[in-house]
Amino acid sequence: MRKLKLSGLLIGLLLSIILVGCGTSESEGSEGEGGETYTVATDNNFVPFEFLDEETGEMTGFDMDLIRAIAEEAGFEVKIESMKFDGVVTGMQTAKYDIGIAGMTITDERAETIDFSEPYYDAGLMLAVQESNTEIKSEDDLAGKKVATRSGTTSETYLKDNHPDAEVVTFPGIVEAYMDLQDGRVDAVMYDVPNVQYYVANDSEGLKTVGDVLQGEQYGIAFPKDSELVEDVNEALQTLIDNGTYDDIYEEWFGERKYGTEAD
Ligand code: ARG
């Protein structure tokens, strides 16, 4: 009797481990109905474009809403896979995934090995410092300072090209850079405007943004070179811009309507 009970318990335990295992796996399985399923590579933490919703265990953010809406419009399904940003870039170059969306700036260099959709978001770079910092008011004050950012991004390139006399410190994830800034181990962080603003306002204490927007940039959805999906995605994106869905999503994450379409 005792044995039976125990084995029942064991089976229950095993079952729940298996179930929990499925629920927390990194890829979320297919979404939507019908059509081909395409893999979508995204970054695992780039607020407010893609990050984990702790309650649902699903990736959320502007990019996630946009790619799901595009998939629905174009009639395909997506399987979201989150990883480090560099993995998204190389995942396109090696055609490991079908689509990449990760606040990725369209650059001439990347466009040699990756295809991009039409631009879907206007960004740029910005500096954050500690609130108490009175020395760094703009990028003109970076000489001799420790400036942190994420490796493999346009900020790293910008700093190396324009600020050879700053000490550039790179991290595989941007949150580590912000943490070091908060703790005073670096003097400033340079990164994408929307991320810096969002992080400073929502996720940090004692930080502020300084200076102007540096280097205008545009984000594009990425594809392996010569992907047949580019055209369909561009078409769907344009439809969503015209019918106000893009603005609905934009408003949800950025508090305004980019193209000024009517809200329903
Ligand atoms: N826009 C910059 C770039 O393309 C930074 C992108 C960072 N994106 C991310 N998901 N972490 O280099």
Side-chain angles (χ1 to χ4, degrees), residues 62-83:
F62 178 79
D63 282 350
M64 298 297 93
D65 286 351
L66 184 65
I67 198 66
R68 287 176 179 129
I70 285 174
E72 200 181 323
E73 179 60 38
F76 58 80
E77 297 182 35
V78 289
K79 182 166 177 256
I80 309 272
E81 308 225 10
S82 54
M83 61 202 70

Side-chain angles (χ1 to χ4, degrees), residues 43 46 50 85 102-105 110 150 153-154 191-192 219:
D43 186 56
F46 184 56
E50 50 259 355
F85 180 68
M104 195 188 294
T105 303
R110 287 180 183 152
R150 182 172 194 164
T153 61
T154 47
Y191 210 39
D192 297 44
Y219 295 165

Side-chain angles (χ1 to χ4, degrees), residues 63-76 78 99 101 117 120 221 232-238 240 245 249:
D63 282 350
M64 298 297 93
D65 286 351
L66 184 65
I67 198 66
R68 287 176 179 129
I70 285 174
E72 200 181 323
E73 179 60 38
F76 58 80
V78 289
I99 300 172
I101 185 163
S117 68
Y120 72 87
I221 300 166
D232 290 354
V233 166
N234 275 335
E235 228 172 79
L237 174 63
Q238 192 56 52
L240 299 180
T245 307
I249 298 173

Side-chain angles (χ1 to χ4, degrees), residues 126-129 138-139 142 147 188-190 196 208-210 214:
M126 187 161 252
L127 283 171
V129 297
S138 76
E139 66 168 332
L142 295 181
V147 188
V189 166
M190 183 182 286
V196 173
K208 65 178 177 187
T209 60
V210 285
L214 314 165

Side-chain angles (χ1 to χ4, degrees), residues 106 117-122 218-221 234 237 241 246 259:
I106 303 171
S117 68
E118 291 299 317
Y120 72 87
Y121 185 89
D122 294 325
Q218 290 185 305
Y219 295 165
I221 300 166
N234 275 335
L237 174 63
I241 290 173
Y246 177 99
Y259 294 100

Side-chain angles (χ1 to χ4, degrees), residues 27-238:
S27 67
E28 289 168 14
S30 347
E31 304 173 15
E33 270 171 35
E36 287 276 326
T37 298
Y38 296 115
T39 49
V40 175
T42 191
D43 186 56
N44 51 20
N45 194 357
F46 184 56
V47 289
F49 293 87
E50 50 259 355
F51 56 102
L52 189 70
D53 179 332
E54 309 248 331
E55 265 167 40
T56 63
E58 281 196 26
M59 291 299 290
T60 184
F62 178 79
D63 282 350
M64 298 297 93
D65 286 351
L66 184 65
I67 198 66
R68 287 176 179 129
I70 285 174
E72 200 181 323
E73 179 60 38
F76 58 80
E77 297 182 35
V78 289
K79 182 166 177 256
I80 309 272
E81 308 225 10
S82 54
M83 61 202 70
K84 293 220 173 289
F85 180 68
D86 337 19
V88 184
V89 178
T90 51
M92 293 298 103
Q93 290 160 337
T94 57
K96 185 167 178 201
Y97 308 97
D98 301 308
I99 300 172
I101 185 163
M104 195 188 294
T105 303
I106 303 171
T107 66
D108 291 343
E109 198 191 339
R110 287 180 183 152
E112 284 172 15
T113 53
I114 291 175
D115 274 355
F116 284 103
S117 68
E118 291 299 317
Y120 72 87
Y121 185 89
D122 294 325
L125 307 180
M126 187 161 252
L127 283 171
V129 297
Q130 282 192 352
E131 227 154 44
S132 56
N133 188 319
T134 50
E135 255 182 280
I136 302 178
K137 298 192 186 68
S138 76
E139 66 168 332
D140 300 337
D141 306 316
L142 295 181
K145 301 289 186 224
K146 276 193 181 167
V147 188
T149 191
R150 182 172 194 164
S151 46
T153 61
T154 47
S155 292
E156 182 184 7
T157 314
Y158 183 88
L159 282 166
K160 294 206 162 138
D161 289 351
N162 298 286
H163 295 285
D165 40 10
E167 188 187 329
V168 181
V169 188
T170 58
F171 293 91
I174 197 63
V175 175
E176 295 142 88
Y178 289 126
M179 295 284 180
D180 266 26
L181 178 59
Q182 256 173 219
D183 296 345
R185 280 190 293 273
V186 298
D187 302 299
V189 166
M190 183 182 286
Y191 210 39
D192 297 44
V193 177
N195 181 264
V196 173
Q197 287 179 335
Y198 190 95
Y199 193 89
V200 165
N202 301 297
D203 293 343
S204 77
E205 257 170 48
L207 300 185
K208 65 178 177 187
T209 60
V210 285
D212 300 325
V213 172
L214 314 165
Q215 169 164 288
E217 300 191 349
Q218 290 185 305
Y219 295 165
I221 300 166
F223 306 88
K225 210 69 194 143
D226 301 322
S227 164
E228 285 172 2
L229 280 171
V230 184
E231 225 182 285
D232 290 354
V233 166
N234 275 335
E235 228 172 79
L237 174 63
Q238 192 56 52

